[in-house]
Amino acid sequence: MKLKNKLLIPFGWLFCATTFGQLSSYEYKQELKGVSNEWHTVTLPYQVFSNTNDNLSDIRVYGVTENDTLEAPYILKLASEKNSKKETAFRLLNTASDKEGFYFTYEIPTSEPINRINLQFTQSNYNWHVVLEGSQTQNKWFKILDDYRILSIKNKQTNYTFSTLNFPLSKYKYYRLRVKSEVRPELKRATISLDESINASYNTYPTTFMNISQKGKKTVVDIDLNQRLPVSYLKLNILDKVDYYRPMTLQYISDSITTEKGTKYVFNTLYSGTLSSLDTTGVKFKSTLAQKLRVTVQNNDNQALQIESATAKGYAHELLVRFDNMANYYLAYGNKNAQRPKYDIQQITSAIPKNASVVNLGEIVEIAKIQKPSKQPLFKNKAWLWLVMGVIIVVLGWFTLRMMAKR
């Protein structure tokens, strides 16, 4: 290799490291196709979650030009539910009872609609059915809820209460609640409100039941999502038609340890609560990257439930990205050492558009790592080595002869 070419290698490597060094520290990239505006939305595909950090700290958007690599700022958006609850003032007009139950009549002085009433009773154990009616004049009543069940069970095995009335938007001046009970309900508190929550946008994942087993008085269900995904909702589909109220725990495998006796898994808890035949909407919890889930149902002395399947969901994840320069942009991920980025746009959101067009992603490409040039030996040809050694011997011999001649 010529000396000129040898000298060019370090400079060439330095140029590549400067231009592509940021990208080369990641494992994967996907080209962003169709970048044409300042703001775009990038929907994260499932494959990203299998190769990113638990907290998504290593997700980046890089733009590559002829001379530089640019980092585009983004905001990570989870399509979770938006909760908005507005309590409404009301007045208890009267209480009464007859052979059909106990009545509570409320007056709402405003004209705003409601869709939720939360009831709190002094009793800790009850199983009642209620009827909710509305009226503008108290002369003619219209049914809003009929034979709606509320329940409270508190003992050594279970602590469960379901006493919230949910119904379509209603706009009446008077509301009458009838509780079908043989004993007087001791209503401690009632809260009337308008729930304007916006439902989450979920992705539904295919699930595989790896194992359903009975361990003592517990049913253990192992569920596989088939790949690592952000999960935030789970519902067990149960065939039993009888009433049930079972303590349950939902966990996920966060790590594994290989021992002489085999692999041991580390479980972290996502949710603890009650599996109930009254509330069949499923359980919600903090979005977590997981592949394998475990549900443990405490049956106590009851017969095990017939669990047919499970429905797992996760929030849709999107990046709202600002593109400041012309470049070829890539979504990059897969860097265990990457810290969560801090961008100005995450703090100043007033100028961010609400609806930015979506750009498509190209194929997943493994990023080739830049190899530092290996040091070449000074003398690759052995003939040069023998020549140098010969010169050294001749020089040493000449000095030796001169020293002997002087003596």
Side-chain angles (χ1 to χ4, degrees), residues 48-97:
V48 170
F49 304 114
S50 297
N51 301 292
T52 189
N53 295 340
D54 289 343
N55 60 356
L56 307 179
S57 61
D58 58 330
I59 294 178
R60 297 291 189 277
V61 176
Y62 286 124
V64 178
T65 67
E66 292 183 359
N67 302 315
D68 201 359
T69 300
L70 312 170
E71 183 170 347
Y74 69 82
I75 294 175
L76 176 62
K77 298 174 63 179
L78 274 64
S80 57
E81 53 273 302
K82 302 294 188 295
N83 296 316
S84 174
K85 181 180 178 181
K86 182 180 180 181
E87 291 192 8
T88 300
F90 65 94
R91 183 166 64 99
L92 177 63
L93 289 182
N94 56 61
T95 60
S97 64

Side-chain angles (χ1 to χ4, degrees), residues 110-121:
T110 65
S111 58
E112 295 183 1
I114 64 170
N115 58 5
R116 176 172 293 183
I117 299 177
N118 184 47
L119 305 172
Q120 296 182 24
F121 296 92

Side-chain angles (χ1 to χ4, degrees), residues 107-244:
E107 179 185 13
I108 296 182
T110 65
S111 58
E112 295 183 1
I114 64 170
N115 58 5
R116 176 172 293 183
I117 299 177
N118 184 47
L119 305 172
Q120 296 182 24
F121 296 92
T122 302
Q123 288 99 326
S124 58
N125 286 280
Y126 55 83
N127 184 8
W128 299 324
H129 289 78
V130 302
V131 176
L132 180 65
E133 299 172 305
S135 175
Q136 300 293 0
T137 61
Q138 295 194 76
N139 294 323
K140 186 175 182 180
W141 293 90
F142 301 91
K143 283 187 178 179
I144 301 172
L145 291 175
D146 189 15
D147 208 31
Y148 191 95
R149 190 176 180 186
I150 57 176
L151 173 76
S152 177
I153 301 176
K154 291 186 180 180
N155 51 43
K156 293 181 179 180
Q157 291 81 31
T158 305
N159 185 350
Y160 176 73
T161 300
F162 182 81
S163 60
T164 299
L165 310 183
N166 295 296
F167 46 90
L169 282 177
S170 298
K171 193 175 180 180
Y172 294 101
K173 184 175 182 180
Y174 303 99
Y175 289 88
R176 184 169 67 185
L177 176 68
R178 173 159 55 99
V179 180
K180 301 177 183 179
S181 171
E182 295 181 357
V183 298
R184 178 178 293 276
E186 299 176 8
L187 184 58
K188 182 169 59 176
R189 185 171 183 265
T191 304
I192 299 177
S193 62
L194 172 64
D195 182 6
E196 293 183 306
S197 299
I198 300 174
N199 293 331
S201 176
Y202 284 111
N203 292 321
T204 302
Y205 308 134
T207 59
T208 302
F209 270 29
M210 300 299 294
N211 176 53
I212 300 180
S213 61
Q214 307 301 323
K215 296 182 178 180
K217 296 183 178 182
K218 299 179 181 179
T219 300
V220 178
V221 183
D222 289 323
I223 304 169
D224 191 354
L225 302 180
N226 303 304
Q227 60 180 313
R228 191 164 173 256
L229 293 166
V231 60
S232 53
Y233 169 93
L234 184 75
K235 178 185 177 183
L236 294 180
N237 302 312
I238 298 173
L239 297 176
D240 298 74
K241 301 303 181 183
V242 298
D243 289 336
Y244 53 85

Side-chain angles (χ1 to χ4, degrees), residues 219-279:
T219 300
V220 178
V221 183
D222 289 323
I223 304 169
D224 191 354
L225 302 180
N226 303 304
Q227 60 180 313
R228 191 164 173 256
L229 293 166
V231 60
S232 53
Y233 169 93
L234 184 75
K235 178 185 177 183
L236 294 180
N237 302 312
I238 298 173
L239 297 176
D240 298 74
K241 301 303 181 183
V242 298
D243 289 336
Y244 53 85
Y245 318 97
R246 312 280 174 89
M248 67 162 285
T249 302
L250 171 62
Q251 299 173 301
Y252 75 100
I253 295 178
S254 60
D255 201 356
S256 61
I257 303 173
T258 303
T259 65
E260 295 179 355
K261 297 182 179 180
T263 302
K264 291 187 176 182
Y265 295 103
V266 179
F267 288 89
N268 283 2
T269 300
L270 289 171
Y271 173 86
S272 293
T274 302
L275 182 65
S276 168
S277 55
L278 279 186
D279 188 3

Side-chain angles (χ1 to χ4, degrees), residues 379-389:
F379 301 106
K380 295 180 67 174
N381 193 327
K382 290 184 178 181
W384 281 97
L385 181 60
W386 286 110
L387 178 61
V388 171
M389 291 179 64

